[in-house]
Amino acid sequence: MLSLTSFALVALFFMQLLGLYFYVQYFCGWGSIFREDCVYPPNPLVTDKRTRGKVLRKGFSKIKVPPNLDALVIGSGVGGLSVAAVLAKAGKKVLVLEQHDQAGGSCHTFQERGYEFDVGIHYVGQMHEGGMFRVIMDQLTDGQLQWNRLANHYDSISIGHRVYRLYAGKKEFPDALKMQFPGEEEAIDKFMFLMKKVARHVALLGTLKILPEALMRQLLRSRLLHWISPVFRMSESSHQDIMDGLTRNKDLQAVFSYLFYGVPPNDSSFMINALLIHHYKRGAWYPRGGSSEIAFHMIPLIQRAGGQVLVRAPVSRILLDNGRATGVAVQRSEGEVCVYAPVIISDAGIFNTYERLLPAEIKTIPEVHSLLSSLQYGMGCFLVFVGLKGSSDELGLKSTNLWIYEENDLNCLMGKFSSMSCEEMCEQLPLMFITFPSAKDPTYSQRHPGRSCMTLLTMAPFEWFSRWKGQQPRHRGEEYEEMKMKLAQGMLGRAIEEFPQLADKVDYMEAATPVTNEYYLRAPEGSMYGAEQNCSRYQSDIINKMRAQTAVPGLYLTGQDVFSSGLAGAVHGGLICACAVLNRILYLDIILLKKRLKSRIRQRKSM
C-alpha cells in the first residue's frame, strides 16, 4: 500500500508528465495524427465523371480487397468514412464496404436530365476559420474540401402569415431576434446564455462515451457529474419545459425549436435543440462542388494508407468466431464472399447492426436488450427534387432556406401531423422545408449551365408507404407512384406560392419516400437521422451506454447513433469510434491543434 505522501508524489509525477505532453503537443504537435502540415492548398475542382467515378464508384471484387487489413467498415456514410480516415491517418489499412453504387451515404448526389441533387446535406455550420468542426473536416480531407458561405440571412421561418429571419454572427443573431420580438430581450438573452453553456460543456457528454463505462456509471449514480456541470440536466430536460421557463411567446418558442427532425419540443432534448441553433449561429456553409465532395476528398486518405472504399458490396452478416467479430459476408450474385479483419466497424446504425447483421441471440444479451428497448426508429423523410429551367441568378434564387409551419404550437402541430393520413397531408401541409442547393454553390452554374434546382422536405411516417417495403425502385406500381407524386405536387404548389417566379420553370420532378431512403441508404423505416432524437435517448445513462464499443468483442459502432444526428453528429461518432479502436483520446490532439491554429490566426490578423 502506498502512503499518502507516496501517493501524492506519484500523482504529482503523472501530472508533470501530462503537463509535458500538453506542452509538446501545443507547441509542436509531435506524436499527433492531426497536424498543420496535413492540410494543403486546395486543388482545382474535379468535374470529370470518369475521374470522380474511380474514387466514388469503385466496384467490389475479391481481388480488390487489400491483404492484411487492420479494420473493416460497413457503410460509407460520413460516420464510416470519418473513422476510416482517422484510422488511416494512424497508419491503419482499412476497407470500407458500401451496398449502394456510390460512396458517401447521405452525402452522395445524383444526376438526372442535366440536373444534380444532393440527398441529405443542405447546409453546415461552424465552418469559420479556426472553428473546431472546420479543423476536423480539414484534417479529414487534407484541406481539399472547400466551403461556400451562405448569405448572412441564412434561414427564414414562416409561422402562419408571419416570417422571422435569422442572421449569422455572435452579435447579429441575438440582435436580429430582439428587433423582431420587442419585449422579449430578457428571454432571448437567457436562451443565448443557456445555448453557450451547452456548447461549452457538451464535451463532458463525450466523456461518457470515451472513458470507462463502469467508472462513468458510478459517477452518474452519485450525481457528481450533474453537480459539476448543468449540461447533464439540460440534456435530460425537454426543450418545451425550458422554453416555458423563458417565455410565453409561442412564436419565439417556435423559432427556438424550428429545426425539425420528427420530434416535438415536449419530447426533444433541450441540449440537442440548443446545439442545433448554436451550430449555425456563426453562419452556414455549403460544400463547393456539391455534397459528394465530402466523400471524394476523404477517400484518398484511406487509399493512401493501403485501404479501399468499394461499392456494390452489400454486407449480409457479420461473421463471429467464438463470440468475437472477425469479418463480414458480402452478398454477391455468385454467393457470399467472406472478408476478414481484426476490427469490424458498423456504420449501418444500431438497429441494422443488431437486428439484421448479427445472430438473433445477440439481442438477448441483457445490456443489448436494455439498450435497444430504450430506443426507437426515427421519423422518415419525404423529399422532392425539382429541376428548374434557368440559372439561380436568372430566377432570383437565394441561398436562404425557408422553414414553413402552419401554426406556432409545434407540439400541437406535430401531434396533428402524426395522426394525418397521406391523403390529408396532400391537402394540408403542416410543415415543410424549402432550399435551393444551386444558389448555395457558385460552381453549380458552371457545371450545369442554364439550370438550377430546388429541394423540398417534410417528415413522413413509414406506415404511409410500408406496403412497398423491399420492392425495387420504379417497380412499385402505379398506386405508389400516384400517391407519392400527389404529395410531391402538393408540396411543389406550396413552394410556388412562396416563389411565384418558378411557376413555369419546372422541368423535372422526382420524389423520395421513406421506403426510397430505406432502399438506397439502408435507413431502417427511412429514418435518415438514425435512432429517434427524443428525450429518452439523451438521458445520461443512455448516452453512457450508446458508445462505440459493443457487447460483441471486436465490433464497434460509428456514425449518427453513437453521438447525434446530421453531418457533425456523424463525424463526431466516427471520432469517438476511432478513440475506442485506437485506445486514445484523440480530442485532446484536436483541441491542442485548434489552439495552435487560432494563435496563428490572431498573429496573422494583428500584423
Side-chain angles (χ1 to χ4, degrees):
M1 293 286 290
L2 287 173
S3 68
L4 188 59
T5 303
S6 299
F7 180 82
L9 289 172
V10 171
L12 180 61
F13 173 72
F14 279 107
M15 287 175 66
Q16 289 175 331
L17 282 180
L18 187 62
L20 178 61
Y21 168 80
F22 275 101
Y23 178 85
V24 172
Q25 281 293 329
Y26 181 78
F27 286 103
C28 309
W30 294 343
S32 173
I33 63 173
F34 302 113
R35 302 189 309 274
E36 296 91 326
D37 59 7
C38 296
V39 177
Y40 311 101
N43 293 315
L45 183 69
V46 176
T47 58
D48 180 70
K49 288 186 178 180
R50 291 189 64 182
T51 303
R52 296 181 67 83
K54 289 178 181 178
V55 177
L56 296 171
R57 296 179 179 271
K58 185 175 289 187
F60 174 87
S61 68
K62 194 166 185 179
I63 198 170
K64 293 179 185 175
V65 174
N68 304 315
L69 290 171
D70 294 303
L72 185 152
V73 180
I74 305 166
S76 71
V78 170
L81 292 178
S82 295
V83 67
V86 174
L87 295 181
K89 288 171 75 71
K92 306 297 182 183
K93 190 186 297 184
V94 186
L95 173 65
V96 181
L97 298 176
E98 169 58 48
Q99 56 87 28
H100 194 18
D101 64 3
Q102 182 180 169
S106 291
C107 288
H108 83 269
T109 59
F110 70 94
Q111 297 191 28
E112 289 288 345
R113 300 188 193 176
Y115 298 96
E116 183 178 3
F117 301 97
D118 58 29
V119 174
I121 301 299
H122 306 302
Y123 56 144
V124 178
Q126 295 184 324
M127 282 297 158
H128 54 282
E129 187 182 22
M132 172 71 89
F133 196 46
R134 178 62 179 269
V135 171
I136 292 170
M137 293 304 292
D138 281 349
Q139 288 293 309
L140 296 181
T141 61
D142 288 341
Q144 298 303 297
L145 182 59
Q146 300 179 68
W147 298 90
N148 186 60
R149 193 176 191 274
L150 275 57
N152 280 345
H153 172 205
Y154 62 91
D155 272 343
S156 286
I157 306 160
S158 174
I159 303 173
H161 298 293
R162 301 170 301 282
V163 178
Y164 301 100
R165 296 169 177 82
L166 300 185
Y167 292 86
K170 283 184 175 182
K171 189 172 184 297
E172 293 83 351
F173 181 87
D175 285 354
L177 286 177
K178 290 174 183 178
M179 291 277 291
Q180 297 171 85
F181 290 96
E184 294 292 336
E185 292 84 0
E186 185 180 353
I188 292 167
D189 284 338
K190 285 182 178 178
F191 181 85
M192 298 299 294
F193 173 78
L194 293 175
M195 183 177 70
K196 185 182 292 187
K197 186 156 286 192
V198 165
R200 286 180 173 176
H201 289 222
V202 70
L204 292 174
L205 292 175
T207 64
L208 294 180
K209 298 176 179 294
I210 295 174
L211 297 180
E213 183 179 0
L215 171 63
M216 293 295 99
R217 189 165 57 245
Q218 289 299 322
L219 290 174
L220 287 172
R221 284 176 180 171
S222 70
R223 305 293 290 181
L224 179 61
L225 293 179
H226 290 71
W227 179 79
I228 290 173
S229 170
V231 74
F232 299 97
R233 177 183 58 80
M234 289 191 280
S235 73
E236 296 171 346
S237 300
S238 84
H239 186 69
Q240 189 62 56
D241 284 347
I242 292 185
M243 285 295 97
D244 287 341
L246 296 180
T247 178
R248 293 183 180 180
N249 187 310
K250 287 295 184 182
D251 277 19
L252 183 56
Q253 287 189 358
V255 166
F256 284 144
S257 317
Y258 81 101
L259 290 157
F260 64 73
Y261 44 88
V263 184
N266 60 13
D267 192 31
S268 61
S269 165
F270 173 78
M271 176 198 72
I272 290 300
N273 286 281
L275 282 177
L276 285 171
I277 293 178
H278 180 270
H279 185 68
Y280 298 108
K281 186 187 71 171
R282 294 281 291 269
W285 285 260
Y286 187 82
R288 290 174 63 91
S291 60
S292 63
E293 285 290 284
I294 297 172
F296 185 71
H297 291 299
M298 282 188 179
I299 291 172
L301 274 73
I302 300 165
Q303 295 173 331
R304 204 158 55 227
Q308 284 288 4
V309 177
L310 304 177
V311 303
R312 296 189 293 280
V315 172
S316 56
R317 59 195 176 98
I318 294 170
L319 305 176
L320 303 180
D321 184 7
N322 292 322
R324 182 180 183 84
T326 57
V328 302
V330 179
Q331 190 62 51
R332 305 289 288 170
S333 57
E334 65 272 18
E336 287 187 337
V337 176
C338 295
V339 183
Y340 296 92
V343 171
I344 308 300
I345 300 168
S346 177
D347 189 34
I350 192 167
F351 291 115
N352 273 335
T353 303
Y354 281 112
E355 297 178 349
R356 189 172 65 85
L357 299 177
L358 288 168
E361 58 267 23
I362 298 295
K363 288 195 297 181
T364 65
I365 297 174
E367 61 190 275
V368 175
H369 177 75
S370 171
L371 180 57
L372 291 177
S373 63
S374 65
L375 305 172
Q376 60 191 70
Y377 293 150
M379 178 75 77
C381 294
F382 187 93
L383 296 117
V384 183
F385 305 102
V386 184
L388 301 166
K389 292 179 290 185
S391 69
S392 293
D393 287 341
E394 292 167 346
L395 298 177
L397 305 181
K398 305 298 182 185
S399 63
T400 306
N401 308 291
L402 176 60
W403 299 78
I404 299 175
Y405 291 96
E406 183 185 55
E407 60 179 90
N408 61 12
D409 188 336
L410 301 193
N411 294 307
C412 179
L413 191 69
M414 290 296 295
K416 185 191 303 183
F417 165 78
S418 62
S419 63
M420 292 173 74
S421 66
C422 187
E423 291 74 19
E424 291 171 325
M425 181 79 163
C426 294
E427 302 298 325
Q428 182 184 11
L429 281 165
L431 48 89
M432 190 170 76
F433 172 70
I434 304 174
T435 187
F436 299 99
S438 56
K440 300 174 184 178
D441 178 9
T443 74
Y444 193 97
S445 60
Q446 302 164 22
R447 296 180 291 118
H448 307 284
R451 291 177 168 85
S452 53
C453 64
M454 172 173 66
T455 302
L456 314 175
L457 182 150
T458 191
M459 308 308 295
F462 183 75
E463 292 73 25
W464 288 355
F465 303 94
S466 59
R467 76 188 88 163
W468 295 286
K469 176 182 171 69
Q471 296 182 20
Q472 294 273 339
R474 309 190 190 283
H475 292 83
R476 296 182 181 127
E478 290 185 8
E479 185 182 358
Y480 172 82
E481 291 297 325
E482 289 175 3
M483 184 174 170
K484 79 169 186 177
M485 293 314 293
K486 184 178 180 181
L487 179 53
Q489 288 287 356
M491 293 172 67
L492 177 62
R494 181 68 182 87
I496 288 175
E497 288 179 21
E498 298 290 337
F499 304 95
Q501 74 271 28
L502 306 180
D504 61 345
K505 302 299 182 182
V506 176
D507 184 46
Y508 169 82
M509 186 169 70
E510 184 55 277
T513 73
V515 293
T516 312
N517 299 327
E518 186 175 59
Y519 179 84
Y520 285 111
L521 301 175
R522 291 296 189 266
E525 298 195 355
S527 53
M528 294 175 66
Y529 303 125
E532 188 74 285
Q533 304 278 313
N534 54 16
C535 259
S536 63
R537 173 173 170 178
Y538 292 102
Q539 299 300 301
S540 298
D541 61 325
I542 302 300
I543 294 174
N544 186 33
K545 290 176 183 176
M546 282 188 68
R547 46 179 56 220
Q549 298 94 330
T550 73
V552 179
L555 176 64
Y556 298 81
L557 298 176
T558 186
Q560 294 184 112
D561 287 346
V562 174
F563 191 70
S564 67
S565 64
L567 178 73
V571 168
H572 282 292
L575 282 168
I576 289 169
C577 182
C579 289
V581 173
L582 297 173
N583 195 27
R584 178 172 174 175
I585 304 178
L586 297 167
Y587 280 97
L588 295 177
D589 298 332
I590 296 171
I591 290 168
L592 291 169
L593 171 61
K594 176 178 177 289
K595 287 183 178 295
R596 293 197 301 273
L597 290 172
K598 289 197 76 170
S599 176
R600 291 175 189 179
I601 291 168
R602 283 194 296 269
Q603 290 175 9
R604 188 184 72 226
K605 288 182 177 180
S606 66
M607 293 176 64

